[in-house]
C-alpha cells in the first residue's frame, strides 16, 4: 500500500514510520509511506499555512492554497483522500477493513481550528475521526489509522492470523494473556494454560473473552451470542456443542430463553 501523508509536522511521524512493525513493513516494501510538508507549498515568505477565519471566531484555519499545492504534488486527484477530523465518521472495524483493501491512500492532517472547506470539497475528502474528543491536530489520528490499517495487510505482521484473532476483530475482547514464569509473587498462571489440552485451553479463552466482553462491551457481547446457532455456507454450525455450552453459561438468562427449542 502506498500512503501519502500531508501534514504541517512531518517529523512527528518518524518514530512510527521508522520503527517497530510499520518500519519493518516499510523496509520490506509492503508499505510505502511518504510524508509531505504542507508548509513547503506556502507562497508566504514566512511559510505560513493558516489565517484568521472569515466570519470571526477563535483560532486559525489552514489556508487552501498551500494544501492544494501539496495535494497536487502527490497527484491526489482521483485517489482516496482521508481527512482526519473530529466531525468525521468514527474509525471502526468495518472502516479499517475497507481501507486495508486499498492499494493507495492520501491522508490529510488538519491543525489549528480546521481546514478551509474548499480543500475538502474539491478533493472529495472523506472525514474520519478516531473518537468523540478533540486533539490539537490530525497527526496522532493519522498514525492510529495507519497502524490499524497496516495490521490487516498481508505480510505486515509476523503471524498472519494474529490480527484476526485479537480483540474486536474476533467479535470479542481479548482474553487474559500470561507468560513465564508460571508463578510470580504468589500469582500463578491458570493451570489449564499449562496442561497441554488444546481443547480445554480454547474453551477457557472463549469463556474469559465472553466474560470480559459482557462486562465491558455489552453491545459486542449481544452481537456475538446472537450468532450462537449460526451455520456456515455448508450448513455446519460455526460453534460446536461445547462452545455453545460456554456461551450459554456466560450469557445466563439473557441467552437461554432465546436458545430454547433451537
Amino acid at each position: 500500500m502506498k500512503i501519502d501523508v500531508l501534514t504541517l509536522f512531518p517529523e512527528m511521524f518518524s518514530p512510527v514510520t521508522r520503527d517497530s512493525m510499520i518500519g519493518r513493513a516499510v523496509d520490506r516494501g509492503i508499505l510505502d509511506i511518504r510524508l509531505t510538508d504542507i508548509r513547503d507549498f506556502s507562497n508566504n515568505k514566512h511559510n505560513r499555512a493558516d489565517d484568521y477565519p472569515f466570519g470571526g471566531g477563535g483560532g486559525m484555519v489552514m489556508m487552501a492554497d498551500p494544501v492544494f499545492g501539496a495535494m497536487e504534488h502527490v497527484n491526489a486527484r482521483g485517489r482516496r483522500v482521508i481527512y482526519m477530523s473530529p466531525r468525521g465518521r468514527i474509525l471502526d472495524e468495518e472502516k479499517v477493513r475497507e481501507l486495508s483493501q486499498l492499494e493507495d491512500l492520501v491522508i490529510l492532517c488538519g491543525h489549528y481550528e480546521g481546514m478551509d472547506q474548499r480543500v475538502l470539497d474539491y478533493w472529495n475528502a472523506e472525514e474520519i475521526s478516531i473518537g468523540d474528543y478533540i486533539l490539537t491536530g490530525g497527526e496522532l489520528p493519522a498514525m492510529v489509522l495507519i497502524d490499524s490499517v497496516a495490521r490487516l495487510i498481508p505480510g505486515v505482521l509476523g503471524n498472519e492470523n494474529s490480527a484476526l484473532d485479537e480483540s474486536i476483530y474476533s467479535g470479542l475482547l481479548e482474553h487474559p494473556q500470561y507468560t513465564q514464569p508460571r508463578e510470580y509473587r504468589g500469582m500463578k498462571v491458570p493451570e489449564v494454560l499449562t496442561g497441554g489440552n488444546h481443547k480445554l485451553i480454547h474453551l477457557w479463552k472463549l469463556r474469559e473473552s465472553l466474560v470480559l466482553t459482557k462486562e465491558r462491551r455489552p453491545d459486542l457481547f449481544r452481537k456475538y451470542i446472537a450468532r450462537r446457532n449460526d451455520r456456515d455456507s455448508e450448513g455446519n454450525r460455526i460453534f460446536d456443542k461445547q462452545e455453545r455450552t460456554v456461551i450459554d453459561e456466560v450469557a445466563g438468562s439473557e441467552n437461554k430463553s432465546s436458545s430454547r427449542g433451537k
Side-chain angles (χ1 to χ4, degrees):
M1 176 184 283
K2 176 185 176 183
I3 303 175
D4 276 296
V5 181
L6 281 59
T7 170
L8 296 176
F9 302 97
E11 64 277 3
M12 290 182 62
F13 289 84
S14 294
V16 174
T17 58
R18 183 187 62 225
D19 301 326
S20 190
M21 173 193 74
I22 302 296
R24 290 194 295 271
V26 170
D27 290 341
R28 296 200 303 269
I30 300 172
L31 293 175
D32 180 11
I33 302 176
R34 306 180 184 187
L35 303 173
T36 298
D37 190 338
I38 295 172
R39 294 184 195 276
D40 290 343
F41 300 90
S42 172
N43 291 318
N44 182 279
K45 65 179 181 179
H46 301 295
N47 288 334
R48 281 188 56 184
D50 63 299
D51 209 331
Y52 294 102
F54 284 119
M60 309 290 278
V61 174
M62 290 181 63
M63 295 185 291
D65 190 58
V67 181
F68 265 71
M71 296 288 272
E72 290 164 349
H73 175 73
V74 301
N75 297 314
R77 198 66 172 166
R79 299 170 64 187
R80 185 75 169 269
V81 177
I82 303 296
Y83 173 55
M84 308 310 301
S85 165
R87 68 183 188 185
R89 169 190 167 161
I90 294 293
L91 182 67
D92 56 12
E93 175 191 357
E94 180 183 0
K95 179 56 65 172
V96 170
R97 287 182 183 275
E98 175 196 337
L99 296 177
S100 71
Q101 303 300 312
L102 301 176
E103 296 182 358
D104 187 71
L105 193 61
V106 177
I107 303 176
L108 177 59
C109 302
H111 221 76
Y112 311 118
E113 291 301 311
M115 183 79 59
D116 189 305
Q117 184 64 37
R118 290 168 292 188
V119 171
L120 309 181
D121 294 342
Y122 183 87
W123 296 100
N124 194 29
E126 176 184 0
E127 298 185 52
I128 292 181
S129 168
I130 63 168
D132 294 330
Y133 45 86
I134 306 297
L135 298 173
T136 55
E139 285 75 20
L140 290 175
M143 295 177 206
V144 170
L145 186 146
I146 291 171
D147 190 280
S148 61
V149 169
R151 296 177 65 83
L152 297 186
I153 298 175
V156 171
L157 294 180
N159 182 348
E160 291 300 323
N161 295 320
S162 62
L164 298 180
D165 290 340
E166 287 179 346
S167 175
I168 300 298
Y169 295 117
S170 67
L172 295 172
L173 301 184
E174 193 171 28
H175 55 79
Q177 299 277 13
Y178 299 88
T179 187
Q180 297 292 347
R182 291 192 179 190
E183 182 175 348
Y184 181 72
R185 299 194 180 190
M187 297 177 286
K188 296 181 179 180
V189 174
E191 189 174 342
V192 64
L193 298 179
T194 62
N197 187 320
H198 296 294
K199 181 62 176 180
L200 290 180
I201 291 173
H202 166 71
L203 293 174
W204 179 89
K205 291 180 177 180
L206 175 62
R207 181 184 297 276
E208 293 296 315
S209 289
L210 284 164
V211 169
L212 280 172
T213 308
K214 182 180 182 181
E215 175 187 341
R216 300 179 184 180
R217 289 293 303 274
D219 56 326
L220 293 178
F221 179 77
R222 288 191 294 270
K223 185 183 298 186
Y224 191 87
I225 65 174
R227 301 166 49 219
R228 176 192 182 278
N229 293 294
D230 285 1
R231 299 176 183 270
D232 61 23
S233 58
E234 297 179 354
N236 301 312
R237 289 184 182 272
I238 62 173
F239 298 113
D240 64 28
K241 184 176 180 180
Q242 291 176 299
E243 291 169 333
R244 295 198 305 275
T245 297
V246 171
I247 292 172
D248 284 344
E249 289 174 352
V250 176
S253 58
E254 182 176 356
N255 188 59
K256 285 180 180 178
S257 60
S258 64
S259 63
R260 288 194 183 103
K262 295 184 180 180

